Amino acid sequence: LLEAAAEAKLLTAIDDWVAEEAVARLAAWTGNPSAPPMLSINLSVAALRDPAVADRLARRLLAARVDPSRLEVEVPEGLA
């Protein structure tokens, strides 16, 4: 599936959707004592190699008023 998304040049759109959805969920969970304290997401290798990815995530978190420590971005072993 990942290869098909890459071939269709959809990885950037999928990464953007994942990040936006994660931040929206974290924002919705704010103040809910039964909500998980953090959320982990996976982004594509291409996204993680993009020097602006951290800035985009930070802007999303700031706009949603979500503490950045609540979002964890997992780095694939092959990239580390």
Side-chain angles (χ1 to χ4, degrees):
L1 189 59
L2 183 60
E3 291 173 10
E7 286 179 24
K9 303 205 185 300
L10 293 174
L11 286 181
T12 300
I14 293 169
D15 288 332
D16 286 343
W17 178 82
V18 166
E20 190 67 34
E21 190 66 23
V23 171
R25 287 182 189 264
L26 285 168
W29 292 341
T30 299
N32 181 345
S34 63
M38 72 179 335
L39 184 63
S40 296
I41 61 172
N42 290 313
L43 297 178
S44 70
V45 171
L48 295 173
R49 287 188 175 144
D50 179 354
V53 71
D55 288 336
R56 285 196 306 275
L57 283 172
R59 282 195 305 274
R60 281 189 168 115
L61 291 162
L62 183 62
R65 296 186 175 132
V66 171
D67 180 350
S69 69
R70 295 181 61 208
L71 180 66
E72 178 180 79
V73 178
E74 296 181 358
V75 177
E77 288 179 25
L79 187 60

